[in-house]
Amino acid sequence: MSQRRTVPVPEGLDGLRLDAALSRLFGISRSAAVEILEQGGVTVDGRVRGKGDRVLAGATLDVDLPSPDTTPGPPPEVVAGLRVLHEDEHVIVVDKPVGVAAHPSPGWEGPTVIGGLSAAGHRVSTSGAEERQGIVHRLDVGTSGVMVVAKSEHAYTVLKDAFRQRTVDKRYHALVQGHPDPSSGTIDAPIDRHPTSAYKFAVVAGGRDSVTHYETIEAFRHATLLDVHLETGRTHQIRVHMAAVRHPCVGDVTYGADPTLSKRFKLERQWLHAVRLGFSHPADGAWVEFQSPYAADLQQALDLVAAGS
C-alpha cells in the first residue's frame, strides 16, 4: 500500500538532485527514494523526472510513499549526524549536519534540530512560536555548522536580543568561484525577496540593510576559500552577496554557481559552513566560543579544489 503526497519544494532544497530532495524532504534513505523513482512514483509539476534531475523551489512534487508501518517500534532516534558540542542549564550548542532544518516548517517533512534534540531527551525553551521554540537563529537546510539553541526562558530572551543587537560573532567559511577583488573587503548591499522568485533573495534597492565582511584564507586555481563575518543575519545573506559580486559559493546552483564545477568537486549543495559561533553566555555574560570542523562532503570538495582538479 502507498499514500499519495503532494508538496511544494521548499527553498532549502532548491537545486538539489531529485533523489536527494526526496530523501531530505520525507526523511527516507537515498536508496528508498531511488526505488520510488524507479517505480514511477514521483512527478514534478506533473512530469516524470529522473533521479539526477535538479528540482526548483516552488515546484509541486506528487509522490507515492509507502504506507507507514503501524507496528509499534522503537522511540525516535537522534537525527543522524547531529552532534551536541556543549550543554548546560541555559544553552545547547550543536553541530548541524546538511539536510537538517532548524525547525519544522510548511512543506518540510525531513529531520529538524528541534526534533532531534527532543527525541534525544533534551529540554529546550518554550519561548517562541510553537514550531520553533528555543530557536534563536537558523542555518539553511543546505548549510552545516555550529548553532545555539536556548534551553531556559532567560537564555532565549538574552540570545534573541544579542542577535538583534549584533553582538554575536558568526563566522563562516565559504568556498567561492574565482578570485574576489579585492581579496578582502566588505559587501554592504540591501537584501530582500527576489523580484521574480518567491523562494530566493536578492540585492534589492530599498531592501533590508545587509553587511558581509570577508577575508581570503587561500586562493586556488578555480576557487577561493573565504573567512566570512556577518554583521547582519539575513536569509541566504552570504549566498546572495557573493553571487552579487559574481563569486557564488561553489555548488550553489540556485544562485548562479557553475554546475560543472559542482559535479567536478562532487558537491550537491553550496560550499558554506558555520565554523565558529561566539556570544556572551546568558548566565554570567562570559564570552564563549564554539567551533565546528568541515563536514565530510565539504572537506572532500576542498581537497579536490586544492589538488587542482
Side-chain angles (χ1 to χ4, degrees), residues 29-54:
S29 67
R30 182 73 74 88
S31 59
V34 171
E35 184 176 352
I36 294 171
L37 285 161
E38 290 177 343
Q39 293 174 352
V42 182
T43 61
V44 182
D45 287 336
R47 298 177 62 186
V48 176
R49 299 287 188 180
K51 65 182 181 181
D53 288 338
R54 303 281 174 173

Side-chain angles (χ1 to χ4, degrees), residues 202-222:
V203 171
V204 177
R208 303 177 69 188
D209 67 301
S210 307
V211 181
T212 301
H213 306 284
Y214 69 90
E215 295 182 4
T216 291
I217 298 174
E218 189 169 359
F220 304 100
R221 179 182 177 187
H222 296 288

